[in-house]
Structures are given as structure tokens and as C-alpha cells.
Amino acid sequence: MPNHSLNTATLKTDSLKTLVLDALDDLKAKDVALLDVSRLTSVTDLMVVASGTSTRHVAALANNVVERVKAEGIQPLGVEGEAGADWVLVDLGDLVVHVMLPETRALYDLERLWADLPSDSEGRQESHGT
């Protein structure tokens, strides 16, 4: 028997991913990266990392994502960093969006950080000393 809830969740995540990427593209986000972190954490499945050219651009990109998802009936779980706008995080549950200034993105290097983490199964093996 097929697992319909899994199929529905995957479809929902794919639609959300498309919506977010379109919202970022609308306002010309730079260097958009999609990270599948589903094997690395139970907190979220996907992360989108994008750069803006200024704090105003970063804020506008994040705001456009929020407006687009709300228009589709999706309420963000949280939005952080709007005050300084050198890094704005939009938490959409299955997908987390990070919009940053290039300098901030280079400093935190989320793509490398997440790529270097062991997956859950690898982490368990390491914690048992194997």
C-alpha cells in the first residue's frame, strides 16, 4: 500500500521549493543554492541560501518570499534578522530560507558547513566509536 502522506509531503515541499525559488528570482537574488539536508537534521528538509546586493535587497527578497507563501495560504513559522537585514532567515518548516549579504554568506559559509556534517547514520556510527 503506498504511503500517501509521504507523497503529499513531498509534493507540498516541491511546490514550496518552486514558490520560494520563483519569489527569489522575481527580485534577482544572487547565487541561489538549494541544499537537501533531510539526511542531516530532523529540523528541516531543504535550505535555500541566496545573496542580496544590499541590506535593502536582502530585506526585499525575504519579504517577497513571505508575501508569496502567505498568498498561497502558508504561514511562515518565523522570520529572523529583519532589523539589520545582513542575514534574514525565513522558516517555512520543511524549507528554511537564508538571504544574506555576500560578506555574511562568505563568513558563515552554510553550504560548506552543511556539506561537511555527517548524515544521521554516519553520526551514530561515529558516536559508537566505529
Side-chain angles (χ1 to χ4, degrees), residues 9-119:
T10 302
L11 183 61
K12 180 181 163 222
T13 302
D14 283 346
S15 298
L16 185 59
K17 173 182 71 175
T18 300
L19 187 64
V20 166
L21 294 175
D22 287 350
L24 292 170
D25 189 52
D26 283 350
L27 296 184
K28 310 284 189 262
K30 305 292 183 196
D31 303 318
V32 178
L34 179 66
L35 309 174
D36 182 344
V37 296
S38 59
R39 291 181 32 240
L40 304 173
T41 180
S42 60
V43 175
T44 191
D45 290 336
L46 297 172
M47 287 190 191
V48 174
V49 184
S51 296
T53 57
S54 66
T55 54
R56 288 179 115 174
H57 190 215
V58 167
L61 287 164
N63 188 53
N64 199 42
V65 168
V66 169
E67 286 179 8
R68 292 280 297 270
V69 298
K70 282 184 174 180
E72 294 297 320
I74 301 166
Q75 186 63 39
L77 300 178
V79 179
E80 302 291 331
E82 294 168 296
D86 59 335
W87 179 354
V88 180
L89 179 147
V90 181
D91 185 350
L92 301 170
D94 292 338
L95 190 151
V96 174
V97 182
H98 299 272
V99 186
M100 310 167 143
L101 289 175
E103 312 84 70
T104 305
R105 186 171 176 174
L107 177 66
Y108 290 99
D109 201 1
L110 293 182
E111 292 97 329
R112 188 181 59 76
L113 173 72
W114 283 98
D116 288 350
L117 287 178
S119 69

